[in-house]
Amino acid sequence: MIRQRIDICKAVAFVTFKEWGAYRTHSMVSIFVGPVYFIVQYFIWTAVYGSAETLNGISLHQMIRYFGATALIGYLTMDFADWNLDMLIRTGRFLTYALRPMNHRFFAFSQKVGHRILGFIVEFIPCVLIFTLLFGIDMRPAFAGWTILSIALAYLMNFFVNYCLGMASFWIVQTGGIRAVYALAGSIFSGMFIPLVFFPKPLQVIQFFLPFQYTAYVPAMVFLGQYSLGDIQISIPAIVGIQGIAVLAVFLLSELMYKAAMKQFTAVGA
C-alpha cells in the first residue's frame, strides 16, 4: 500500500514537473524576489542595529543570515492549494476528483511535490548562488539534518493549512476574504518580515499555539542553530519535535474536515 502511494506520488509529481517546466520562465521571474527582499531587509536591519552588537540576542550577522534563510525557505514551501481547491469546488470540477479512488488531498500534495522540485531547481539553487557568491553570505546551516527536517515540516504545515482554508469553500461560496486574512496574518506572524522575538511577549507565547511560526520562523532559527521565543530557550531537537506535533495536529484537522466536506459536496456547477 505504501509502495503504491509512493509510486502514485512520483507519477503525479513528474507530470506536474513537466507541465510547469513548460512555463519555467514564469518561475524564474521569482528569482529576483528573494534577492530584492533580502537587500531591503539588509539595509533596514543595518540601520536598526547601528552600533549595537546584538538585539534581542541576535547579532547583525545572524539577522542577515536569518533573512537569507527565510527567503530560501519561502521558495521551498510556497503553496497555493487553497486557491486551487477553491476554484475546483466553485466550478464543480472537484466532482471529477471525488469520483476517483485517490484522495484529492493526496493528489494535490503530489502535485505540490513536483511543483516544488521545479522550484528547487529554477528558484532555490540560483538564489543560494546569488546569496553566497554575490552577497558573500554564509548559507550553511548550523545543523543540516535538523534544518532539512524542519523545512520539510514547514512544507507540510503550509500545505495542510492551505488545504484546510480551501476546504472552507464546501461551506462558504467565496473564501477569498478568509484566505486574504490568513495570508496577511501569516506574513506578519510567520517571521518572514520580522523575527518573532521582536514582538510583545504575550504575542510570542501565543505563537506556540498558532501555525504561523512553524512555516518560517522555526526553520530559520533551526538554520541558525538557536531557538527562543517568549523568553523560552528550546533546544533544536525539541523545537523540531514541537513543530512535528503541530503539523500532526493540522493534518488531523484536515482529515476531519475532508470527511465532513465529502458529505457536504453537491457538485454544484458541474
Side-chain angles (χ1 to χ4, degrees), residues 163-256:
Y163 200 85
C164 286
L165 291 173
M167 283 193 288
S169 295
F170 284 110
W171 293 274
I172 304 174
V173 176
Q174 289 288 345
T175 62
I178 295 175
R179 291 186 286 114
V181 170
Y182 178 82
L184 176 61
S187 65
I188 297 172
F189 297 114
S190 67
M192 286 292 293
F193 296 122
I194 181 172
L196 299 184
V197 290
F198 288 87
F199 283 82
K201 186 177 177 180
L203 282 178
Q204 294 184 40
V205 174
I206 290 173
Q207 296 310 309
F208 283 105
F209 307 97
L210 299 176
F212 306 114
Q213 71 152 331
Y214 302 110
T215 63
Y217 180 74
V218 169
M221 296 306 289
V222 171
F223 170 86
L224 293 180
Q226 63 181 53
Y227 177 90
S228 65
L229 191 65
D231 293 335
I232 303 173
Q233 297 282 342
I234 302 177
S235 68
I236 296 302
I239 189 57
V240 174
I242 293 173
Q243 185 185 16
I245 293 172
V247 171
L248 178 61
V250 176
F251 166 76
L252 294 175
L253 174 62
S254 72
E255 184 72 13
L256 293 173

Side-chain angles (χ1 to χ4, degrees), residues 25 68 78 94 99 103 110 116 147 190 223 257 264-265:
T25 53
M78 189 274 288
F94 185 83
L99 295 175
N103 183 304
S110 301
R116 286 303 84 206
T147 300
S190 67
F223 170 86
M257 287 186 66
Q264 178 74 18
F265 184 54

Side-chain angles (χ1 to χ4, degrees), residues 76-129:
L76 296 176
T77 62
M78 189 274 288
D79 178 69
F80 49 85
D82 53 340
W83 174 87
N84 189 59
L85 184 56
D86 175 76
M87 179 271 296
L88 291 176
I89 296 169
R90 283 189 294 103
T91 60
R93 291 169 57 189
F94 185 83
L95 176 62
T96 61
Y97 296 96
L99 295 175
R100 296 176 184 179
M102 185 195 315
N103 183 304
H104 177 265
R105 185 184 57 196
F106 179 69
F107 179 81
F109 173 78
S110 301
Q111 285 184 309
K112 178 180 172 67
V113 171
H115 190 266
R116 286 303 84 206
I117 289 176
L118 180 65
F120 177 82
I121 296 172
V122 303
E123 297 173 327
F124 179 83
I125 293 178
C127 273
V128 169
L129 295 177

Side-chain angles (χ1 to χ4, degrees), residues 37 58 61-71 190-196 216-217 220-221 223-224:
Y37 160 83
I58 303 177
H61 175 69
Q62 289 176 317
M63 186 66 75
I64 291 172
R65 295 183 70 233
Y66 171 89
F67 283 109
T70 55
S190 67
M192 286 292 293
F193 296 122
I194 181 172
L196 299 184
Y217 180 74
M221 296 306 289
F223 170 86
L224 293 180

Side-chain angles (χ1 to χ4, degrees), residues 36-70:
V36 170
Y37 160 83
F38 174 79
I39 291 172
V40 171
Q41 294 292 351
Y42 175 84
F43 284 113
I44 289 176
W45 289 99
T46 299
V48 170
Y49 271 79
S51 59
E53 294 185 2
T54 63
L55 289 176
N56 286 0
I58 303 177
S59 67
L60 178 59
H61 175 69
Q62 289 176 317
M63 186 66 75
I64 291 172
R65 295 183 70 233
Y66 171 89
F67 283 109
T70 55

